[in-house]
Amino acid sequence: QVQLVESGGGLVQAGGSLRHSCAPSGSIFIFSINAMGWYRQAPGKQRELVARITSGGSTNYADSVKGRFTISRDNAKNTVYLQMNSLQPEDTAVYYCKGDGVWTMSSLNDYWGQGTQVTVSS
């Protein structure tokens, strides 16, 4: 089974920055991933899309993070990054990465990372 491992969460003050990354782990070889994205969920709220990037480099951002967050990926490493600048308290949430259309020798599926807490203090 494919596992996506996230790193880079933490506690920062308003106006600070964090760099988040997500990559597969384990011995299963991944041929390709159609798209990778970042989602977040705050207590009492639904999980929402933050940013998404396709294998071709096309990106989409939530209106709330445009101009502050940047998503990028390294296709050779199947790694996705989220650079978060000018963080605000409303960005506080658990952040999840997601791989859409993950091809392995035996399956095509979507996979979620374990989730990482990001807390922004005022």
Side-chain angles (χ1 to χ4, degrees):
Q1 187 175 3
V2 174
Q3 292 183 319
L4 299 180
V5 179
E6 303 175 33
S7 63
L11 173 65
V12 299
Q13 292 185 325
S17 299
L18 287 172
R19 184 171 174 82
H20 217 141
S21 65
C22 176
S25 66
S27 60
I28 299 177
F29 183 79
I30 297 175
F31 292 103
S32 65
I33 303 176
N34 291 146
M36 300 188 77
W38 291 97
Y39 298 75
R40 67 186 181 187
Q41 187 168 21
K45 297 183 178 180
Q46 65 180 8
R47 187 173 298 184
E48 64 175 349
L49 173 69
V50 176
R52 188 172 184 268
I53 185 168
T54 69
S55 61
S58 297
T59 59
N60 290 293
Y61 294 92
D63 289 340
S64 60
V65 306
K66 286 181 179 177
R68 300 188 297 118
F69 291 9
T70 302
I71 188 171
S72 61
R73 66 183 292 176
D74 184 336
N75 288 339
K77 299 179 179 179
N78 291 129
T79 301
V80 63
Y81 305 92
L82 185 67
Q83 180 67 44
M84 299 178 284
N85 297 329
S86 301
L87 284 162
Q88 302 299 316
E90 56 264 33
D91 296 316
T92 295
V94 176
Y95 284 70
Y96 300 87
C97 70
K98 182 185 179 186
D100 296 329
V102 180
W103 287 92
T104 69
M105 292 181 64
S106 60
S107 67
L108 171 62
N109 283 301
D110 300 338
Y111 293 93
W112 289 91
Q114 81 278 9
T116 303
Q117 179 71 48
V118 172
T119 302
V120 184
S121 64
S122 59

